Amino acid sequence: MKNSDIGAYLLALLIFATFTCYLDARLQGCQPSGKIRGVKPPPGQCNPENDSDCCKQGKTYTTYTCSPPVTGNTKAVLTLNSFQKGGDGGGPSECDNQYHSDDTPVVALSTGWYSGGDRCLNYITISANGRSVKAKVVDECDSTMGCDDEHDYQPPCPNNIVDASKAVWEALGIPEGDWGDYDITWSDA
């Protein structure tokens, strides 16, 4: 075997080993914790405002007790939520048992990032579309449960969600036609 062949082989082996270790660490850091089976919402239940999904009878939904590691630039998906009374967010916010105006920049974080309420009433910085906005954490987007009355018959949240009020979307300058699911980064403020 030529020296150049050995070098190329070792380089490929090193890249493969690094990728495998990275992938293995990510999987160990946040694997699904279980599954729940969807039930059909009773008539008049499950508020589909802001394109919220309603559980489907018999469909299996993945649950998580964790979220990806938080960094200075954590990748996430921004979703739209109404924290107002009667909005698709359901009941009052978990952190302060209050409703919040859609004109106030507030968010709910996936279960792992919510961290049992450790981020409650603290601010995070959300960046997208060349802009940033600070928003207050007021709720959990539950990744462990769903498809029941307490969760407005909506499926569990994925583990990488920042569920935001309209004020956050507006501050980021995202055109209304793009509201729904939007790739962002966030960090603790």
Side-chain angles (χ1 to χ4, degrees), residues 77-150:
V77 175
L78 190 69
T79 55
L80 180 59
N81 188 31
S82 175
F83 294 85
Q84 296 184 154
K85 188 170 185 140
D88 63 323
S93 296
E94 191 72 26
C95 294
D96 58 6
N97 202 34
Q98 302 288 316
Y99 292 99
H100 298 271
S101 166
D102 288 339
D103 298 326
T104 305
V106 293
V107 298
L109 297 177
S110 293
T111 296
W113 291 334
Y114 180 74
S115 190
D118 288 348
R119 287 193 168 85
C120 269
L121 306 180
N122 291 320
Y123 285 85
I124 64 170
T125 301
I126 302 164
S127 301
N129 197 35
R131 296 185 185 182
S132 292
V133 62
K134 287 190 187 323
K136 186 189 288 188
V137 177
V138 296
D139 210 348
E140 172 184 17
C141 192
D142 198 339
S143 304
T144 66
M145 300 290 293
C147 298
D148 57 16
D149 184 53
E150 181 182 347

Side-chain angles (χ1 to χ4, degrees), residues 21-182:
C21 288
Y22 169 77
L23 185 60
D24 188 46
R26 286 293 302 245
L27 291 175
Q28 286 180 6
C30 190
Q31 294 184 27
S33 57
K35 295 193 179 291
I36 62 170
R37 187 161 306 280
V39 296
K40 183 178 179 180
Q45 298 291 314
C46 191
N47 184 342
E49 180 184 8
N50 299 321
D51 293 326
S52 293
D53 291 331
C54 295
C55 291
K56 307 254 186 298
Q57 180 71 37
K59 183 175 178 181
T60 302
Y61 298 94
T62 303
T63 61
Y64 293 88
T65 57
C66 59
S67 292
V70 175
T71 66
N73 243 1
T74 306
K75 291 182 179 181
V77 175
L78 190 69
T79 55
L80 180 59
N81 188 31
S82 175
F83 294 85
Q84 296 184 154
K85 188 170 185 140
D88 63 323
S93 296
E94 191 72 26
C95 294
D96 58 6
N97 202 34
Q98 302 288 316
Y99 292 99
H100 298 271
S101 166
D102 288 339
D103 298 326
T104 305
V106 293
V107 298
L109 297 177
S110 293
T111 296
W113 291 334
Y114 180 74
S115 190
D118 288 348
R119 287 193 168 85
C120 269
L121 306 180
N122 291 320
Y123 285 85
I124 64 170
T125 301
I126 302 164
S127 301
N129 197 35
R131 296 185 185 182
S132 292
V133 62
K134 287 190 187 323
K136 186 189 288 188
V137 177
V138 296
D139 210 348
E140 172 184 17
C141 192
D142 198 339
S143 304
T144 66
M145 300 290 293
C147 298
D148 57 16
D149 184 53
E150 181 182 347
H151 297 91
D152 197 33
Y153 292 93
Q154 295 176 7
C157 273
N159 67 345
N160 64 338
I161 297 297
V162 174
D163 204 17
S165 64
K166 291 179 182 180
V168 171
W169 289 83
E170 289 169 349
L172 292 171
I174 299 168
E176 243 183 274
D178 293 338
W179 290 12
D181 289 359
Y182 201 88

